[in-house]
Amino acid sequence: MTENQESQKDEIEALTSIYGKDFSLLGENTFDLRICCDDIKWWAVTVSVLLPENYPSEEAPLYEIHTECLAGSELGELQNELDNIWQENIGTNVLYMWTEKIREYLFERYERAKLFIESPEEDKQRERALTDLMREEDASEQIETQDVPQKEEETSTQVMDETVPGIHSSDTITLKKSTFQGHSAVVHTLTDIKAVLKKLKQNKKVSQASHNIVAYRLVGVNETSFIQDYADDGEVNAGGRLLHLLQIMDVKNVVIVVSRWYGGILLGPDRFRLINNVAREAIIGLGIYEPKQATKQRPKKKKH
């Protein structure tokens, strides 16, 4: 197997893990990937990809974009964005970057279209629903810290049961009335994971979060195999991103939960950045993450 073939195989396995049922492998080096906005099935893009033999060392992936929600000019603009990403990263795997660029572009157009699709009455209904959901929230733009589970000290006092692993919570981040907080724990079995989730849900504020996104990664039968999964809890594609974060940080026997309290203002792709930020902080707080240090190679001695 050539170096390009090995790289393609690894990349396809990663995409399968991240995107789950939205990723359809059609052949050894061909696949379809469906990218949707929230739960609107029609507002979606399907990308058909063929990986040439010399990808990623020399050639870019061949692809076609199938959609009914983007105009021809928008497709041309998107294709230029993908071409620029390839030109800046020739020789490296770009499929994940391409997918996230398509998602970001699609979501921007989706939010723009919603301004014309939604009536004022629908806006009022959404506002009333959010008011009921966040009825304990302060009227200011910031969610008061006493309404949100605090950092490690407070959460840890609530998990005194010996059967429940200790839970570490990150600081909260608030943007446009939406608040995010990460919770993490060291786990070794699925029973441990269930115990952590049950304990978190016993916290009134966590149980009332708009979304509690979950991802976990356990060591399997040996150190090179893993039992891993995720749940979006309504925040579409967020769970897969959390699992990807665990993979690139290379942490093991960890469950991560990110709570989001929706404040009524759409954040677009920014919400994924905030979810990753609080998740990373919660993982680092466990004290198990060891960044890989780059090793410098000693220069070879010249033979005289």
Side-chain angles (χ1 to χ4, degrees), residues 13-278:
E13 289 178 354
L15 293 174
T16 303
S17 175
I18 295 169
Y19 299 109
K21 62 182 181 181
D22 292 328
F23 182 90
S24 301
L25 187 62
L26 306 178
E28 185 176 351
N29 58 352
T30 60
F31 62 86
D32 284 348
L33 183 59
R34 183 173 175 81
I35 305 167
C36 305
C37 280
D38 296 332
D39 57 349
I40 309 300
K41 295 183 180 180
W42 176 81
W43 201 273
V45 161
T46 298
V47 187
S48 299
V49 180
L50 169 65
L51 302 180
E53 290 184 2
N54 292 329
Y55 168 79
S57 62
E58 298 176 11
E59 295 182 69
L62 305 176
Y63 67 93
E64 291 182 357
I65 299 177
H66 310 279
T67 182
E68 297 179 358
C69 56
L70 295 178
S73 59
E74 292 175 321
L75 283 175
E77 183 178 349
L78 179 57
Q79 288 169 350
N80 288 336
E81 293 278 358
L82 301 184
D83 290 342
N84 289 337
I85 290 175
W86 168 250
Q87 292 300 324
E88 294 171 1
N89 298 274
I90 293 177
T92 60
N93 301 92
V94 297
L95 293 176
Y96 179 77
M97 290 185 282
W98 274 14
T99 303
E100 295 310 302
K101 172 56 68 174
I102 294 172
R103 187 190 311 285
E104 177 183 343
Y105 189 92
L106 188 66
F107 200 95
E108 289 175 354
R109 298 305 181 277
Y110 171 59
E111 290 192 336
R112 187 182 302 173
K114 286 183 68 176
L115 297 176
F116 298 93
I117 295 173
E118 294 177 350
S119 67
E121 180 58 31
E122 288 172 328
D123 288 336
K124 292 178 182 177
Q125 291 176 358
R126 178 181 297 103
E127 185 176 355
R128 285 194 294 268
L130 289 169
T131 301
D132 291 340
L133 178 66
M134 307 298 290
R135 59 187 179 276
E136 297 179 3
E137 180 184 355
D138 187 84
S140 65
E141 289 192 359
Q142 295 281 333
I143 294 179
E144 295 295 336
T145 55
Q146 62 264 29
D147 290 336
V148 181
Q150 299 301 308
K151 293 183 65 178
E152 181 180 9
E153 293 78 13
E154 177 183 339
T155 308
S156 297
T157 60
Q158 300 172 359
V159 274
M160 298 301 292
D161 299 347
E162 294 182 359
T163 57
V164 181
I167 300 174
H168 174 80
S169 295
S170 72
D171 285 324
T172 58
I173 297 178
T174 301
L175 177 65
K176 296 180 180 178
K177 293 188 177 182
S178 282
T179 294
F180 300 81
Q181 186 175 37
H183 319 279
S184 61
V186 175
V187 291
H188 298 280
T189 65
L190 295 177
T191 301
D192 287 346
I193 295 172
K194 292 178 181 178
V196 169
L197 298 180
K198 182 178 179 181
K199 196 66 183 179
L200 283 172
K201 284 299 181 76
Q202 289 175 0
N203 182 293
K204 184 179 180 182
K205 198 61 186 181
V206 171
S207 66
Q208 291 181 344
S210 309
H211 311 285
N212 282 304
I213 310 147
V214 183
Y216 66 84
R217 193 170 188 242
L218 303 176
V219 174
V221 293
N222 54 58
E223 288 294 326
T224 60
S225 65
F226 297 95
I227 302 169
Q228 53 192 16
D229 204 352
Y230 63 87
D232 293 330
D233 193 28
E235 187 71 275
V236 180
N237 300 310
R241 290 165 180 259
L242 276 187
L243 179 57
H244 180 63
L245 178 66
L246 297 181
Q247 292 168 340
I248 61 177
M249 292 181 72
D250 194 27
V251 290
K252 308 166 186 177
N253 295 325
V254 171
V255 60
I256 180 73
V257 180
V258 173
S259 301
R260 179 190 181 183
W261 293 268
Y262 181 49
I265 300 175
L266 294 173
L267 300 183
D270 277 345
R271 70 192 193 281
F272 295 122
R273 173 178 57 82
L274 297 172
I275 288 170
N276 266 17
N277 285 349
V278 295

